């Protein structure tokens, strides 16, 4: 028997998968193209075991792919849409922070006046 989940629940699970700083950093780094694990490890300040665990989560959910090139494992985004999502998130965050900056400026001006 196959149990289907509502689309909104599947989306929530997807975003939960993205809800870890190391996973986000991996996705940011992979936006420019595939990278071997050693390059990811040198760019992210975490233990190798922690990076491996987070890469496994991303791989298991299909957000990234892994290919072996001899002794090296190379990771890549599974689709360009993931890179687009990261760009959209950056844009949304910038807008939210800009709005907070404007509010902060208003509060400071009010406190002075």
């Amino acid at each position: 028997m196959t149990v289907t989940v509502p689309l909104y629940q599947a989306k929530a699970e997807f975003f939960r998968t993205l809800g870890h700083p190391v996973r986000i950093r991996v996705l940011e780094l992979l936006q420019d193209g595939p990278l071997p694990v050693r390059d990811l490890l040198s760019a992210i300040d975490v233990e190798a075991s922690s990076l491996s665990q987070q890469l496994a989560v991303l791989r298991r959910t299909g957000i990234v792919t892994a290919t072996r090139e001899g002794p090296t494992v190379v990771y890549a985004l599974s689709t360009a849409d993931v890179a687009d999502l990261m760009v959209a998130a950056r844009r949304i965050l910038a807008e939210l922070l800009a709005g907070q900056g404007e509010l902060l400026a208003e509060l400071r001006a009010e406190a002075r006046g």
Side-chain angles (χ1 to χ4, degrees):
M1 178 172 96
T2 303
V3 177
T4 59
V5 297
L7 182 56
Y8 63 86
Q9 188 173 343
K11 287 179 183 178
E13 286 297 321
F14 173 76
F15 281 107
R16 260 193 291 280
T17 299
L18 299 179
H20 192 285
V22 171
R23 292 182 216 147
I24 293 296
R25 187 65 183 127
V26 165
L27 298 178
E28 288 174 344
L29 291 168
L30 294 179
Q31 287 180 90
D32 295 327
L35 289 171
V37 173
R38 69 177 172 275
D39 290 0
L40 292 171
L41 194 55
S42 68
I44 304 172
D45 188 27
V46 296
E47 296 291 322
S49 60
S50 178
L51 178 60
S52 178
Q53 182 181 26
Q54 301 310 322
L55 288 168
V57 171
L58 292 170
R59 196 175 55 246
R60 201 168 35 250
T61 57
I63 296 172
V64 300
T65 60
T67 54
R68 184 168 290 281
E69 296 177 2
T72 304
V73 178
V74 177
Y75 281 87
L77 298 178
S78 62
T79 173
D81 290 338
V82 176
D84 293 343
L85 178 63
M86 299 308 295
V87 169
R90 190 177 307 115
R91 194 171 44 247
I92 292 166
L93 186 57
E95 290 173 13
L96 292 173
L97 293 174
Q100 290 176 0
E102 291 169 10
L103 179 60
L104 181 59
E106 286 179 34
L107 287 171
R108 286 182 176 157
E110 187 179 281
R112 279 187 244 119

